[in-house]
Amino acid sequence: MSEPTLESIEDYSSLKGEKKRVVWAVIISGLIMGAIYAGAKSYYASVNDEIKVKTGIPTPRH
């Protein structure tokens, strides 16, 4: 059993019909999710209520 080559795939040159719509839906949904993630990350990135700690965490001695 040999692997298919790009030339043997029937819709290599152009996608048509339902496959084309599915590909575009996946691309657009990925871009939308990326934009939402980037917006949320930039909005929630700054922390204004952090607690300053001056002493370190002690390590146990064995």
Side-chain angles (χ1 to χ4, degrees):
M1 187 167 156
S2 65
E3 295 190 23
T5 62
L6 291 177
E7 291 79 19
S8 67
I9 297 175
E10 61 194 37
D11 58 357
Y12 171 68
S13 326
S14 64
L15 292 174
K16 297 176 184 169
E18 186 65 25
K19 286 184 182 181
K20 190 172 189 175
R21 281 186 239 122
V22 169
V23 168
W24 278 110
V26 169
I27 291 171
I28 290 171
S29 64
L31 290 173
I32 290 171
M33 288 190 303
I36 290 171
Y37 174 77
K41 185 176 179 182
S42 68
Y43 182 75
Y44 294 109
S46 63
V47 177
N48 297 328
D49 62 345
E50 64 184 16
I51 299 172
K52 302 287 183 185
V53 178
K54 295 182 180 178
T55 59
I57 299 173
T59 57
R61 296 182 183 183
H62 295 288

